[in-house]
Amino acid sequence: MDPAARDAAEEASAFSHPVVAPDATAAYGDHPDQVVDFHAPRDGRDRAPLVVALHGGAWRAPYDRAHLSPFADFLARRGFAVASVEYRRGGGLPRQGGTAPVAGRWPETFDDVAAALDAVPELAAAHLPQADTGRIVLTGHSAGGQLALWAAARHVLPAGSPWRLPAPPPLRGVVALAPIAHFARAVELGVCGGAVTELLGGPEAYEERAASADPALLLPTGIATTVVQGREDVVVPYAVADAYAEAAAKAGETVGLTLLEETGHFPPIDPATDACAVVAEEIAQLAW
């Protein structure tokens, strides 16, 4: 199949599912985007591993957690408790000379993800008592995959970073789905129309801020990490995941890389696909 046609068909399938309402929503801040949706396990169990999910969309405002809700429900039907995090993204207008909405806000996008992850255990205890916060697996798709890898690496952020943790976060592991995991390679390939550079505030700020945001520069983490990547992905090509895995190896850390043949960018979050089942299995291997 023509790569562009494959991508369009896969995107249409992923976005064709009705939005699934959460069982509860809780705020972790005052901004309307500072909320977490909770989905209870559908099999009736009273204690389940907690999957914290971060949606993608190139850190741009038109994409929010709603499009990830069928995926969250899919995991809930597999026996997981799920917390789907919303966070502040770029504004609705493009930068001067650009065509797409601005990607991300610096530092608000990272402020929100850090605050949400810090708040999730307490919020889950209050709003999703079935969640076992001693068994948390972090996942994220595309730009959300970058944020998931970043959140798992906060203990290795540069000294003085406001997001730095004194110790590794209490995670069973990370399953990153087609993540924008290696900024230099993503910029080289023009991923998402220059979204990485926009996220960091432009070329002038890129080098300084990348040191606190690029997952490939925040290695090793000591946290079990798996990347699930479609080999036919034309949105975030598998070369980005490969570069991240290579950076991890150079840092002395092994990152699992599951390459899905005949698969593009969206199937890992599409409940109608075999790729989504693979993702659930990767999460289960870390959670149980």
Side-chain angles (χ1 to χ4, degrees):
M1 182 182 291
D2 172 72
R6 175 195 295 276
D7 180 61
E10 291 177 340
E11 181 178 8
S13 176
F15 282 78
S16 68
H17 305 286
V19 172
V20 179
D23 296 293
T25 299
Y28 62 89
D30 296 330
H31 192 278
D33 286 335
Q34 293 175 321
V35 294
V36 180
D37 285 345
F38 290 104
H39 298 258
R42 303 296 182 223
D43 59 1
R45 71 182 68 199
D46 58 9
R47 207 68 176 155
L50 177 61
V51 180
V52 179
L54 293 154
H55 71 82
W59 312 284
R60 291 181 170 130
Y63 300 93
D64 61 19
R65 69 193 186 284
H67 81 268
L68 201 65
S69 66
F71 173 73
D73 180 65
F74 176 83
L75 294 178
R77 287 186 279 111
R78 291 292 186 110
F80 296 104
V82 183
S84 182
V85 174
E86 191 56 272
Y87 53 90
R88 283 175 284 182
R89 295 146 345 264
L93 298 176
R95 292 191 190 278
Q96 187 173 1
T99 57
V102 175
R105 300 189 196 184
W106 184 278
E108 291 88 348
T109 297
F110 295 91
D111 287 343
D112 287 0
V113 172
L117 268 292
D118 290 345
V120 154
E122 183 176 345
L123 293 177
H127 298 277
L128 190 62
Q130 302 96 320
D132 181 355
T133 56
R135 291 185 292 169
I136 296 178
V137 176
L138 190 54
T139 192
H141 177 242
S142 195
Q146 176 272 327
L147 293 171
L149 294 170
W150 175 84
R154 288 170 58 202
H155 58 296
V156 297
L157 285 170
S161 169
W163 307 305
R164 183 181 170 98
L165 293 175
L171 301 172
R172 284 290 180 92
V174 182
V175 179
L177 316 177
I180 305 177
H182 192 290
F183 281 6
R185 194 75 174 101
V187 169
E188 181 182 314
L189 294 171
V191 167
C192 297
V196 169
T197 303
E198 284 190 357
L199 171 71
L200 300 181
E204 304 80 8
Y206 178 92
E207 186 172 348
E208 177 186 356
R209 292 177 175 176
S212 295
D214 182 355
L217 300 180
L218 300 173
L219 292 164
T221 67
I223 291 175
T225 300
T226 296
V227 174
V228 179
Q229 175 73 44
R231 190 178 286 277
E232 307 303 326
D233 193 333
V234 296
V235 179
V236 183
Y238 80 90
V240 176
D242 193 49
Y244 175 74
E246 183 177 340
K250 288 180 178 178
E253 188 160 86
T254 300
V255 167
L257 180 55
T258 300
L259 280 177
L260 304 177
E261 301 294 339
E262 301 298 320
T263 301
H265 189 64
F266 294 97
I269 61 165
D270 182 350
T273 67
D274 292 339
C276 202
V278 171
V279 170
E281 181 57 33
E282 294 286 1
I283 291 172
Q285 289 188 28
L286 292 174
W288 295 105

